[in-house]
C-alpha cells in the first residue's frame, strides 16, 4: 500500500495530473547560483476565469511542503486543497471573481522540475545533480509561467511561510507586476534558528542509509525514516507549546499506563509518527533538502547592504502583512521588521498581528481574523481598481 | 489606540486643517474614521498606526493602509519628513512618553496635528474640587485605576510642552462640550476653562 502511494507521488513528479508548461532550450532559467536550468517544466493549477483585460489574476505561492493543489483535491493524498478556507467560490479570495494560479515551485516534487524529475540528458532522476535553487529562482520561474499565461500584471500575490518569502521576492524583483502583496507568517530572511531546524531535518534525511547519497530513486530505495524524522522535528516548530498542551497534554495513546518502553506511549508521539509517515508518501526527500536550502539562503536585505528598506524603494505595490502571536518560527518581530522597512521606503502597508495559540500553522487553519483581513484588503483594492463582484 | 470614542467632533476640525492630496499619517487611527474621511473628501494618501487588532482589521477591511503598532515604540521607524501631516487625535494622553511622541510627530511630519481632552475643563476641576474624586465624565468614562489615559494635561500644559520641544503653534482651536468652536478672540484661560478638547496645528 505504501509502495503504491510512493510510486504515485513519483508519477506526479514526472507526469503530473496538473496543467503543465514546458520551457525548452530557448528559454532556460538563469539560476541565482549562476547555472542554467534547461529544459524545465512547471506544473500548475488554476481556478476561476481570467477576465477580458487580464486584471484579475492572483498568484498563490505555496509553503515548504505545500504544492499547487491549493483549492482542489490532492491527487496523491485525496485530501481537499490546502488553503480551501481562503481560496474558493465565495471565499476571501473568491474564485468567482478572481483567476487564481498556483504552481508547484521549482525544486518541488509535484510536477515542476526538481530532483525527482527525470533529467532528459541522462534519462535518470536528477537527484543531487539538480542545481541548488533559491527563492528568487522559484519566482523567476513563476514569472515565466505568468508570461506564458499572457498576464502582464498580477492583481495579487499571496502566500504564507516559504510562500510569503516568494511574495516578498515578487514585490522586490517584479514590483511593477504586482499590485497587492500579501506575505503571511513569514520573514525577509531565514533566522539562525530557522536554519538550525532545517539543518537537523536535512541531516536526518541524509543519515538514512536508504538515502543512498541522494541516488535512492535510481537505486529503488526510499529514505522514509529519515524524511519522517525531519518532518516530525519540523512539525513541532509549526505548532506551539499551548496548542500541543491543549490538543495532547500528557495523554496516553490507547493505554492506561506508561509501558516502561519506547513505544508511542503518549498521544503526541503517536501524532508525530503519523505526521512523519504520511508525509513520506507524498514528498520527495531530496526536494526537502533543496527547498529548505532555498529558504536558508533567503535574505532580501543582503543584496542591499543589509538595508531592507532599499529592497522596496519606490515600490507602488500595496502590502498587507499578517503574523500570529504564537508563531515562534516566524515571529511577529520578523513581520514588523518588514513593515518598518516598507514604512521607511514610503510604501503603502497594512499589518495585522492575529491572536492565536496555533503557532506557525495558524496561517493554514481556520483563523477568521486572518480571513477577514485578507478579504477586506483584497476586496477594497478590487473595488478601487474596478474589478467586478 | 484612540481611547475616546464618544466625541469625535474633532475629526471634522482636523480634516479642515488638511490640504487636499497631501500625505497623512494618522497615529492612533482607531477604526479608520478619519482616514476614511480624508480619503473620500481630501484625496489624501493616508496611512495609519493603531494598537488594537480590532481597529486594524476594521481599517484594513475598509481598504485603508494601517499597521498594528504602538506610538511609543514604532514611530522611530518612520523616516524624517515622510508625511505632510502627522495626526495624533485623542491619543496623546494615553502614551507613555508624550514628550517623545510629540518630538517624533514633528520629525516625521512637516506639520503635526494634535487633539486631546482638556483636563483643565471646568467639569474636571469641579469634580476634583467639590467631590474630591478623579473625574469620570461622558468624554472621560474611565475610573482612575483602569484608564488608558495615563498622561492627562490641560491646554496650558500642552502649550508649555510645545514651547519646550521647540514647536511653533500655527493654529489652535478649542471645542466646548457641544463640540462648538470657542471664539478665537478669547484668552487662553478662557479656553483652558471652557474647552473640553483642543486641536493644535504645529510645526518645527
Amino acid at each position: 500500500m505504501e509502495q503504491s502511494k510512493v510510486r504515485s507521488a513519483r508519477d506526479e513528479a514526472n507526469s503530473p495530473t496538473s496543467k503543465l508548461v514546458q520551457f525548452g532550450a530557448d528559454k532556460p532559467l538563469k539560476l541565482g547560483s549562476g547555472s542554467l536550468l534547461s529544459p524545465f517544466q512547471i506544473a500548475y493549477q488554476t481556478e476561476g476565469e481570467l477576465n477580458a483585460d487580464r486584471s484579475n489574476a492572483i498568484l498563490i505561492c505555496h509553503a515548504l511542503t505545500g504544492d499547487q493543489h491549493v483549492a482542489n483535491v490532492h491527487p496523491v493524498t485525496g485530501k481537499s486543497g490546502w488553503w480551501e478556507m481562503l481560496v474558493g467560490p465565495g471565499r476571501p479570495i473568491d474564485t468567482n471573481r478572481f483567476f487564481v494560479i498556483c504552481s508547484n515551485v521549482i525544486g518541488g516534487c509535484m510536477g515542476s522540475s526538481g530532483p525527482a524529475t527525470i533529467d532528459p540528458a541522462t534519462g535518470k532522476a536528477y537527484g543531487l545533480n539538480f542545481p541548488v535553487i533559491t527563492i528568487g529562482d522559484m519566482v523567476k520561474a513563476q514569472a515565466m509561467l505568468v508570461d506564458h499565461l499572457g498576464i502582464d500584471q498580477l492583481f495579487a500575490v499571496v502566500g504564507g511561510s516559504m510562500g510569503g518569502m516568494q511574495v516578498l521576492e515578487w514585490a522586490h524583483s517584479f514590483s511593477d507586476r504586482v499590485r497587492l502583496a500579501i506575505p503571511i507568517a513569514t520573514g525577509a530572511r531565514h533566522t539562525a534558528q530557522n536554519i538550525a531546524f532545517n539543518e537537523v531535518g536535512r541531516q536526518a534525511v541524509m543519515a538514512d542509509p536508504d538515502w543512498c547519497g541522494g541516488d535512492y530513486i535510481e537505486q529503488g530505495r526510499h529514505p522514509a525514516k529519515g524524511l519522517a524524522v525531519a518532518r516530525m522535528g519540523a512539525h513541532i516548530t509549526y505548532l506551539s507549546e499551548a496548542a500541543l498542551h491543549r490538543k495532547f497534554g500528557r495523554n496516553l495513546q490507547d493505554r492506561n499506563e506508561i509501558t516502561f518502553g519506547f513505544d508511542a506511549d503518549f498521544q503526541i508521539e503517536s501524532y508525530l509518527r503519523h505526521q512523519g509517515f504520511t508525509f513520506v508518501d507524498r514528498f520527495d526527500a531530496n526536494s526537502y533538502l533543496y527547498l529548505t536550502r532555498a529558504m536558508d539562503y533567503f535574505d532580501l536585505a543582503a543584496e542591499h547592504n543589509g538595508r531592507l528598506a532599499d529592497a522596496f524603494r519606490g515600490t507602488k505595490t500595496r502590502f498587507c502583512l499578517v503574523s500570529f502571536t504564537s508563531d515562534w518560527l516566524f515571529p511577529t518581530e520578523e513581520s514588523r521588521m518588514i513593515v518598518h522597512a516598507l514604512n521607511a521606503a514610503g510604501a503603502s502597508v497594512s499589518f495585522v498581528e492575529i491572536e492565536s495559540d496555533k503557532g506557525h500553522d495558524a496561517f493554514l487553519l481556520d483563523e477568521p481574523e486572518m480571513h477577514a483581513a485578507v478579504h477586506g484588503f483584497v476586496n477594497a483594492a478590487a473595488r478601487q481598481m474596478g474589478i467586478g463582484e | 489606540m484612540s481611547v475616546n470614542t464618544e466625541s469625535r467632533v474633532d475629526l471634522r476640525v482636523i480634516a479642515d486643517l488638511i490640504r487636499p492630496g497631501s500625505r497623512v499619517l494618522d497615529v492612533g487611527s482607531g477604526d479608520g474614521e478619519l482616514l476614511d474621511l480624508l480619503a473620500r473628501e481630501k484625496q489624501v494618501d493616508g496611512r495609519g498606526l493603531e494598537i488594537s487588532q480590532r481597529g486594524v482589521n476594521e481599517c484594513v477591511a475598509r481598504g485603508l493602509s494601517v499597521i498594528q503598532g504602538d506610538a511609543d515604540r514604532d514611530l522611530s521607524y518612520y523616516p524624517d519628513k515622510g508625511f505632510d501631516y502627522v495626526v495624533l487625535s485623542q491619543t496623546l494622553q494615553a502614551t507613555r512618553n508624550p514628550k517623545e511622541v510629540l518630538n517624533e510627530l514633528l520629525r516625521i511630519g512637516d506639520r503635526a496635528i494634535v487633539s486631546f481632552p482638556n483636563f483643565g475643563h471646568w467639569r474636571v476641576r469641579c469634580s476634583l474640587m467639590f467631590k474630591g474624586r478623579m473625574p469620570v465624565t461622558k468624554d472621560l468614562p474611565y475610573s482612575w485605576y483602569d484608564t488608558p489615559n495615563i498622561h492627562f494635561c490641560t491646554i496650558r500644559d500642552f502649550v508649555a510642552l510645545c514651547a519646550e520641544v521647540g514647536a511653533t503653534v500655527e493654529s489652535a482651536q478649542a471645542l466646548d462640550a457641544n463640540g462648538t468652536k470657542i471664539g478665537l478672540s478669547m484668552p487662553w484661560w478662557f479656553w483652558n476653562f471652557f474647552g473640553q478638547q483642543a486641536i493644535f496645528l504645529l510645526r518645527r
Side-chain angles (χ1 to χ4, degrees), chain A residues 318 320 333 336 339-340 343-355 369 372-373 376-377 380-381 383-384, chain B residues 23 25 45-49 53-54 56-57 59-70 73-74 77-79 83:
Chain A
R318 293 164 62 170
C320 179
E333 277 319 304
R336 215 178 273 286
V339 168
H340 292 150
N343 273 335
S348 166
V349 52
S350 296
F351 167 52
V352 191
E353 183 190 24
I354 295 188
E355 196 88 39
E369 291 278 0
F377 182 68
R383 215 169 44 230
Q384 284 162 14
Chain B
R23 282 173 56 81
L25 174 65
D45 180 5
R47 308 286 155 79
L49 179 71
Q53 182 184 317
R54 205 189 58 196
V56 175
N57 283 3
C59 288
V60 172
R62 289 168 101 152
L64 303 168
S65 293
V66 172
I67 70 169
Q68 189 157 41
D70 183 340
R73 192 185 58 195
D74 292 326
Y77 296 101
Y78 288 85
F83 292 90

Side-chain angles (χ1 to χ4, degrees), chain B:
Chain B
M1 190 177 288
S2 152
V3 288
N4 185 347
T5 52
E6 286 283 325
S7 67
R8 302 316 308 268
V9 281
D10 59 317
L11 298 186
R12 188 70 255 169
V13 179
I14 291 168
D16 289 342
L17 291 171
I18 288 175
R19 246 188 356 263
S22 51
R23 282 173 56 81
V24 177
L25 174 65
D26 185 9
V27 180
S29 44
D31 63 5
E33 193 181 350
L34 176 64
L35 284 173
D36 202 40
L37 179 73
L38 292 174
R40 275 187 287 109
E41 294 188 6
K42 299 271 181 154
Q43 296 78 46
V44 305
D45 180 5
R47 308 286 155 79
L49 179 71
E50 166 62 29
I51 203 164
S52 79
Q53 182 184 317
R54 205 189 58 196
V56 175
N57 283 3
E58 282 177 35
C59 288
V60 172
R62 289 168 101 152
L64 303 168
S65 293
V66 172
I67 70 169
Q68 189 157 41
D70 183 340
D72 280 301
R73 192 185 58 195
D74 292 326
L75 288 176
S76 61
Y77 296 101
Y78 288 85
D80 294 355
K81 303 296 173 208
F83 292 90
D84 299 312
Y85 300 91
V86 182
V87 177
L88 186 74
S89 61
Q90 304 286 333
T91 301
L92 184 71
Q93 75 283 356
T95 62
R96 278 191 299 280
N97 193 338
K99 186 179 168 186
E100 191 44 42
V101 168
L102 189 56
N103 268 320
E104 288 288 68
L105 301 183
L106 293 161
R107 178 185 65 78
I108 298 165
D110 194 40
R111 300 278 194 282
I113 300 174
V114 181
S115 78
F116 58 91
N118 173 28
F119 216 64
H121 187 249
W122 66 270
R123 279 186 198 278
V124 172
R125 298 187 195 203
C126 283
S127 176
L128 267 174
M129 185 181 293
F130 297 116
K131 290 198 243 162
R133 301 286 304 271
M134 286 297 280
V136 177
T137 66
K138 181 168 68 69
D139 303 298
L140 302 171
Y142 301 97
S143 296
W144 66 272
Y145 47 82
D146 67 359
T147 180
N149 299 320
I150 53 177
H151 282 126
F152 274 123
C153 67
T154 68
I155 291 177
R156 297 195 78 153
D157 288 330
F158 186 76
V159 170
L161 179 63
C162 289
E164 204 177 319
V165 301
T168 306
V169 177
E170 285 207 333
S171 77
Q173 298 174 53
L175 305 181
D176 66 19
N178 301 320
T180 312
K181 284 184 199 176
I182 293 174
L184 270 178
S185 57
M186 292 299 172
W188 277 115
W189 71 262
F190 188 88
W191 284 33
N192 205 25
F193 198 74
F194 291 105
Q196 194 201 58
Q197 55 180 318
I199 298 107
F200 280 73
L201 176 65
L202 309 170
R203 70 176 160 78
R204 179 147 65 193

